[in-house]
């Protein structure tokens, strides 16, 4: 007999999901009842799941396994019929999305703090995805939060921990736990989208050199199986592909700062032709050519312009979307193709309705996230395979492809300056000050740049009409340049101020400069308008991408 226990608890005040679920220090999650309260709040906010299937998996970071055992027992006690769980508790975020969709699950719980560091002193996270495979929309996360504020008890099965390592089924009370291979379904989906024969040929003939860096995170297993076993990439192309609970002490964020091994290799004298990396939970990607960095905004634009070279998108794109701070490079491609380009707030959840309604095929964010209608999350390996498919067809270097793109469409110089770990009060004050100035900024001249419009981005979802306010302060200049300020919704310590800078350059002779130089004037204006140094006490950003 397995007994369902009802455990009394009291609410935690800080369980408000951010840009992508609830993220806190591991030690916060380890407090008695902390995880359980949030999981019960998720279940209480949902309706109609009795007997249904739930998908559970995570990025393998420290505390993943313990959390999964708790969630399984709570899912059983709350009446789910079946849980699909990745072997060893592993599912990359896009693989979880794929599995939810493929098996018609009611929803899924993904354990990840994405690109944040892991380990005992690192971060942990949990988020709920709905039946379309995508992050829960705000009305669901708001309901979860509201419930977390008033919770008085949770339900959990009194049972021993089960085996997560062997593929197969076992029972937890009335519920069936099905441990599934973490890669098979996702790998089959990738094979259905891309020309694997052609990519295999590229990777195994003609001296094409390639490096994939999993940053010791979840895509280690996916990369080894898909790029290595299936597509023939040799083992020495697959760097840091052994997943570790603390990511080897690194910061599993694929950008120029944190993917240092890959960046050093790609900028070195003997650089491979193509380099790529993914983040902690496998939804981000960074793409580089030989001594050449592709900005995520440009990557989205290049993928859109070349989509018909890939089997899945041969028939053309329904439309595209980008988050508001992402550069307008893809807008130019959409205009040329005669398709719609939507501008959404930061966060993947805002793409879900557009994808479900068939309005868009590709979408992306400046924060190293790109994806399509194949799942409802951004997808790191998918982007790498997309690039490999294009390279296999075009037989040109990454740099040549991007430069040709700029010749056709112009270059959107772009950079993001992050000020991490700023005291929350100071950061809030800076944003409040900016908002206060908005009405007087429009029409003003700053360092030779005229401000056409100054506002706080407000989004009305074109599908369900829901409104999301205060999504970032924008200064839009006469010449199309943009300056955007917002506070991160994913951090776990203090506040992170993000400043996004963009300037359009049609002149070919002025392409390919160092973006920090090309954006120099705007960088100075950004500092000045927001009084960043006086208000934050910081002379420099901590991360520039
Ligand atoms: C950051 C990125 C955002 C992305 C999110 C989840 O959120 O800026 O584009 O969707 O991580 O990966 P932020 O910390 O800015 O709220
Ligand atoms: Zn991620």
């Amino acid at each position: 007999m397995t007994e369902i226990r009802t455990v009394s608890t009291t609410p935690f005040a800080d369980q408000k999901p951010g840009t992508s679920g609830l993220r806190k220090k591991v030690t916060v999650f380890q407090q008695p009842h902390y995880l359980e309260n949030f999981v019960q709040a998720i279940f209480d906010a949902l309706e109609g799941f009795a007997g249904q299937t739930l998908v559970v998996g995570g990025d393998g970071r420290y505390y993943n396994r313990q959390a999964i055992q708790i969630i399984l027992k709570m899912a059983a006690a709350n009446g789910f019929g079946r849980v699909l769980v990745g072997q060893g508790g592993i599912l990359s975020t896009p693989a979880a999305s794929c599995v939810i969709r493929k098996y018609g699950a009611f929803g899924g719980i993904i354990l990840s703090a994405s690109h944040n560091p892991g380990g005992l002193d690192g971060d942990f996270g949990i988020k709920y995805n709905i039946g379309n495979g995508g992050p829960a929309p705000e009305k669901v996360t708001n309901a979860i939060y509201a419930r977390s504020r008033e919770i008085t008890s949770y339900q959990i099965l009194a049972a021993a921990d089960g085996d997560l390592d062997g593929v197969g089924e076992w029972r937890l009370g009335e519920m069936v736990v099905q441990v599934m291979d973490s890669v098979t379904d996702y790998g089959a989906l990738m094979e259905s989208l891309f020309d694997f024969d052609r990519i295999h040929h590229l990777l195994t003939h003609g001296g094409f050199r390639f490096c994939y860096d999993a940053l010791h995170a979840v895509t280690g297993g996916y990369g080894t199986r898909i790029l290595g076993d299936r597509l023939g990439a040799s083992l020495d192309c697959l760097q840091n592909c052994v997943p570790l609970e603390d990511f080897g002490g690194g910061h599993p964020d694929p950008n120029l700062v944190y993917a240092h091994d890959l960046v050093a290799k790609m900028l070195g004298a003997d650089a491979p032709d193509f380099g790529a990396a993914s983040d902690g939970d496998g939804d981000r990607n960074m793409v580089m050519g030989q001594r050449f960095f592709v900005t995520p905004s440009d990557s989205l634009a290049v993928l859109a312009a070349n989509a018909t070279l890939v089997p899945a998108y041969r028939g053309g794109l329904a439309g595209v979307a980008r988050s508001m701070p992402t550069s307008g490079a893809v807008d130019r491609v959409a205009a040329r193709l005669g398709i719609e380009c939507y501008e959404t707030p930061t966060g993947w959840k805002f793409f879900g309705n557009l994808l479900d309604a068939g309005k868009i095929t590709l979408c992306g964010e400046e924060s190293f996230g790109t994806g399509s209608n194949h799942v409802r999350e951004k997808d790191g390996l998918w982007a790498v395979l997309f690039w490999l498919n294009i390279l296999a067809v075009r037989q040109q270097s990454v740099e040549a492809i991007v430069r040709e793109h700029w010749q056709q469409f112009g270059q959107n110089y772009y950079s993001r300056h992050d000020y991490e770990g700023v005291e929350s009060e100071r950061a809030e004050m800076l944003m409040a000050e900016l908002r206060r100035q908005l009405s007087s900024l429009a029409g003003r001249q700053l360092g030779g740049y005229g401000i056409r419009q100054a506002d706080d981005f407000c989004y009305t979802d074109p599908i369900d009409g829901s409104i999301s306010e205060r999504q970032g302060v924008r200064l839009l200049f006469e010449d199309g340049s943009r300056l955007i300020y917002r506070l991160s919704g994913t951090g776990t310590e203090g506040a992170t101020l993000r400043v996004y800078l963009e300037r359009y350059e049609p002149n070919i002779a002025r392409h390919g400069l160092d973006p920090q130089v090309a954006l120099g004037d705007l960088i100075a204006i950004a500092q000045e308008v927001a009084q960043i140094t006086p208000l934050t006490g910081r002379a420099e950003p901590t991360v520039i991408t």
Side-chain angles (χ1 to χ4, degrees):
M1 249 319 267
T2 33
E3 173 212 348
I4 295 177
R5 290 174 52 214
T6 301
V7 180
S8 303
T9 188
T10 48
F12 291 89
D14 64 347
Q15 297 197 321
K16 187 174 172 55
T19 312
S20 185
L22 182 69
R23 284 192 200 164
K24 300 284 173 197
K25 292 278 165 215
V26 166
T27 45
V28 172
F29 271 103
Q30 285 174 324
Q31 296 172 85
H33 310 308
Y34 193 89
L35 175 71
E36 290 86 344
N37 273 21
F38 191 72
V39 172
Q40 189 65 52
I42 295 175
F43 294 155
D44 288 350
L46 305 175
E47 264 171 36
F49 58 76
Q52 302 276 316
T53 298
L54 181 72
V55 172
V56 178
D59 62 14
R61 67 177 62 225
Y62 182 79
Y63 200 55
N64 194 55
R65 283 174 173 269
Q66 294 90 320
I68 287 181
Q69 296 287 356
I70 292 170
I71 293 166
L72 291 177
K73 290 171 201 170
M74 290 186 66
N78 279 272
F80 275 95
R82 174 179 288 264
V83 169
L84 304 179
V85 55
Q87 192 176 9
I90 299 290
L91 280 176
S92 76
T93 292
S97 186
C98 158
V99 169
I100 293 170
R101 294 169 68 76
K102 181 165 178 175
Y103 297 103
F106 185 85
I109 291 181
I110 303 178
L111 302 163
S112 162
S114 187
H115 50 285
N116 296 11
L120 199 68
D121 307 321
D123 290 350
F124 193 75
I126 172 168
K127 69 173 186 166
Y128 180 70
N129 278 30
I130 57 175
N132 74 353
E138 276 186 335
K139 64 173 186 299
V140 177
T141 54
N142 288 341
I144 294 170
Y145 177 52
R147 185 64 198 145
S148 78
R149 300 297 302 265
E150 57 193 27
I151 193 161
T152 55
S153 68
Y154 60 84
Q155 294 197 298
I156 188 162
L157 211 68
D161 286 356
D163 173 22
L164 299 178
D165 294 307
V167 168
E169 292 190 359
W170 40 276
R171 291 191 87 87
L172 203 45
E174 301 289 301
M175 189 182 85
V176 175
V177 177
Q178 182 183 340
V179 179
M180 63 198 310
D181 182 273
S182 313
V183 183
T184 305
D185 293 303
Y186 176 79
L189 176 61
M190 292 303 110
E191 187 150 5
S192 75
L193 302 174
F194 299 107
D195 191 338
F196 268 30
D197 289 344
R198 223 161 169 161
I199 299 175
H200 187 276
H201 194 267
L202 175 77
L203 295 182
T204 53
H205 292 73
F208 179 83
R209 290 170 61 227
F210 160 64
C211 180
Y212 179 74
D213 194 330
L215 302 175
H216 287 304
V218 76
T219 61
Y222 293 83
T224 308
R225 291 263 299 275
I226 298 170
L227 297 168
D229 300 349
R230 177 64 186 83
L231 291 167
S234 62
L235 272 184
D236 57 325
C237 301
L238 305 172
Q239 181 166 296
N240 300 326
C241 275
V242 176
L244 298 172
E245 282 197 332
D246 67 348
F247 310 120
H251 199 135
D253 199 359
N255 62 36
L256 291 173
V257 177
Y258 296 125
H260 31 75
D261 293 2
L262 178 73
V263 172
K265 191 177 256 186
M266 295 309 298
L267 298 181
D270 188 34
D273 299 289
F274 181 65
S278 192
D279 73 332
D281 62 331
D283 57 358
R284 294 186 173 201
N285 76 91
M286 177 172 74
V287 164
M288 294 184 80
Q290 214 168 51
R291 290 178 289 284
F292 188 85
F293 168 65
V294 186
T295 71
S297 297
D298 276 348
S299 178
L300 174 64
V302 170
L303 297 186
N306 289 277
T308 53
L309 302 180
V310 167
Y313 313 108
R314 201 148 273 158
L317 305 175
V320 292
R322 62 163 173 84
S323 67
M324 181 275 284
T326 303
S327 99
V330 74
D331 304 38
R332 295 178 183 275
V333 177
R336 182 85 48 99
L337 295 174
I339 57 175
E340 200 66 43
C341 178
Y342 298 85
E343 185 177 41
T344 59
T346 294
W348 208 260
K349 56 179 176 258
F350 294 102
F351 294 131
N353 278 349
L354 293 166
L355 289 163
D356 283 349
K359 298 280 185 204
I360 59 170
T361 312
L362 297 188
C363 46
E365 296 192 273
E366 51 64 42
S367 52
F368 298 84
T370 337
S372 89
N373 58 356
H374 68 289
V375 288
R376 292 295 179 273
E377 290 279 4
K378 56 189 176 242
D379 191 342
L381 258 184
W382 166 90
V384 176
L385 292 166
F386 202 140
W387 266 96
L388 285 171
N389 200 145
I390 293 172
L391 293 169
V393 175
R394 288 189 52 171
Q395 298 286 321
Q396 286 170 286
S397 71
V398 171
E399 178 168 357
I401 289 172
V402 175
R403 284 193 180 270
E404 216 172 275
H405 186 91
W406 292 339
Q407 281 170 23
Q408 284 180 18
F409 297 96
Q411 181 180 2
N412 290 69
Y413 276 108
Y414 187 83
S415 184
R416 185 176 102 185
H417 289 195
D418 292 337
Y419 297 79
E420 297 171 316
V422 174
E423 223 177 277
S424 299
E425 270 177 25
R426 288 177 169 227
E428 296 290 349
M429 193 199 293
L430 182 147
M431 291 303 293
E433 236 346 87
L434 274 172
R435 291 192 165 104
R436 202 184 52 78
Q437 285 186 65
L438 281 177
S439 55
S440 63
L441 277 169
R444 265 178 61 189
Q445 284 286 127
L446 294 174
Y449 285 75
I451 302 182
R452 180 174 59 78
Q453 188 181 330
D455 63 12
D456 195 349
F457 184 59
C458 174
Y459 179 66
T460 304
D461 185 296
I463 310 302
D464 66 16
S466 59
I467 294 173
S468 303
E469 290 176 312
R470 296 162 69 90
Q471 298 295 319
V473 166
R474 307 191 293 180
L475 304 189
L476 309 177
F477 296 91
E478 307 278 354
D479 72 344
S481 296
R482 300 192 305 160
L483 256 184
I484 293 143
Y485 303 85
R486 58 179 284 282
L487 297 185
S488 157
T490 57
T492 56
E493 259 170 315
T496 294
L497 169 69
R498 303 201 195 285
V499 182
Y500 308 83
L501 307 125
E502 178 181 11
R503 181 172 75 77
Y504 179 64
E505 180 56 75
N507 186 344
I508 297 172
R510 291 198 223 118
H511 288 168
L513 302 176
D514 175 352
Q516 303 311 313
V517 175
L519 294 166
D521 294 347
L522 282 174
I523 293 171
I525 295 171
Q527 272 280 353
E528 178 66 26
V529 174
Q531 292 288 296
I532 296 179
T533 301
L535 289 180
T536 65
R538 300 292 178 78
E540 301 277 332
T542 41
V543 177
I544 294 182
T545 48

